[in-house]
Amino acid sequence: YDAPGAKYAEQVFFHDVRAQGGFGSVALVNADFGLRLDWDMTYCQYFTQWKNVRQGLYVSGLEPGNCLPEGQTAARANGRLVTLEPGEAHTFVNRLSILPNADAIAACEHEFSARG
């Protein structure tokens, strides 16, 4: 991530995440601290990253989802609209882990690279 800037235009990235044992995993790290997000991809096959490093509004969104943020009309046209029937339910499982130091980050990176 860049340093904050006065005229930064927010960006949205759509990542193709491969499931490992049915779970997707991503990490956002710097040299000595990070966050890891693991989620069950049964109902959340998509992963979106929102990035805004505008000065005074420095944020990032890490978002597993059951759709792309394209709107219902586009999702329906593209065959991606997810709906629940009356009485139907889905359970979503997410796990957020803190990577508190360089050793934890290295272990996470090693795990990810071993997956291929």
Side-chain angles (χ1 to χ4, degrees):
Y1 279 54
D2 300 322
K7 296 183 179 184
Y8 184 87
E10 70 181 69
Q11 297 178 328
V12 178
F13 303 92
F14 306 111
H15 297 281
D16 184 10
V17 177
R18 303 284 184 229
Q20 179 75 20
F23 275 75
S25 300
V26 297
L28 181 62
V29 302
N30 64 22
D32 59 0
F33 182 81
L35 297 173
R36 175 179 173 159
L37 177 62
D38 300 281
W39 71 98
D40 182 350
M41 292 185 75
T42 302
Y43 300 116
C44 292
Q45 302 86 11
Y46 301 99
F47 186 78
T48 305
Q49 176 190 7
W50 175 63
K51 176 181 168 184
N52 191 338
V53 296
R54 188 177 319 129
Q55 194 167 6
L57 185 68
Y58 198 97
V59 298
S60 182
L62 305 174
E63 305 168 358
N66 67 350
C67 63
L68 295 172
E70 62 187 338
Q72 287 186 9
T73 301
R76 185 176 288 110
N78 293 318
R80 290 191 285 257
L81 183 63
V82 177
T83 59
L84 293 176
E85 296 299 323
E88 185 179 8
H90 290 173
T91 299
F92 299 90
V93 178
N94 301 295
R95 181 176 52 238
L96 182 64
S97 304
I98 294 173
L99 305 173
N101 54 44
D103 289 340
I105 292 166
C108 180
E109 290 173 343
H110 178 73
E111 179 189 334
F112 285 7
S113 65
R115 291 181 183 184

